[in-house]
Amino acid sequence: MRAFRAAVEAHDLDAVEALLADDVVFTSPVVFKPYHGRAITAAILRGVARVFEDFRYERAIGDAEGRDHALVFRARVGDREISGCDFLHLDESGRIDELTVMVRPLSGAQALQAAMAAQFERIAEEAQARSGG
């Protein structure tokens, strides 16, 4: 999805959030249970933007007119290189209703998990503020 990729690459997290459906389901590469809702998903993506360094998309896979897309990326967390993929599904209105992220290698996923755990309190606060709570 071009709009999502462009917003991520521009570090425009408000634009990323605007592309999310209210009932989006985010599946993390390092947490077992998925997260539900725009506020928590947007807060997680803001946390990811804080911990990923040298993030870049390398290619897009999928039908430009279809509802399923995959964006292959590379990044660094601390001294660990990560490669991964964002899998996006769009609802009937063109908003992202499913976002699944996968990363490798295991050492990179572990570095990501540790970095995101350190962001957890801030993520929870941002999600609460965005949901009006």
Side-chain angles (χ1 to χ4, degrees), residues 26-73:
F26 174 75
T27 304
S28 164
V30 296
V31 177
F32 177 71
K33 290 172 40 174
Y35 295 92
H36 296 269
R38 181 188 297 176
I40 188 65
T41 300
I44 290 168
L45 294 176
R46 289 176 193 284
V48 170
R50 290 189 293 267
V51 301
F52 272 172
E53 300 173 54
D54 303 325
F55 180 89
R56 64 206 172 279
Y57 283 118
E58 295 190 322
R59 64 187 163 131
I61 302 169
D63 176 7
E65 303 304 317
R67 292 176 48 188
D68 291 293
H69 304 272
L71 298 169
V72 179
F73 66 84

Side-chain angles (χ1 to χ4, degrees), residues 89-100:
H89 181 269
L90 308 180
D91 64 15
E92 296 82 22
S93 67
R95 290 223 166 122
I96 299 166
D97 63 357
E98 294 177 25
L99 172 55
T100 300

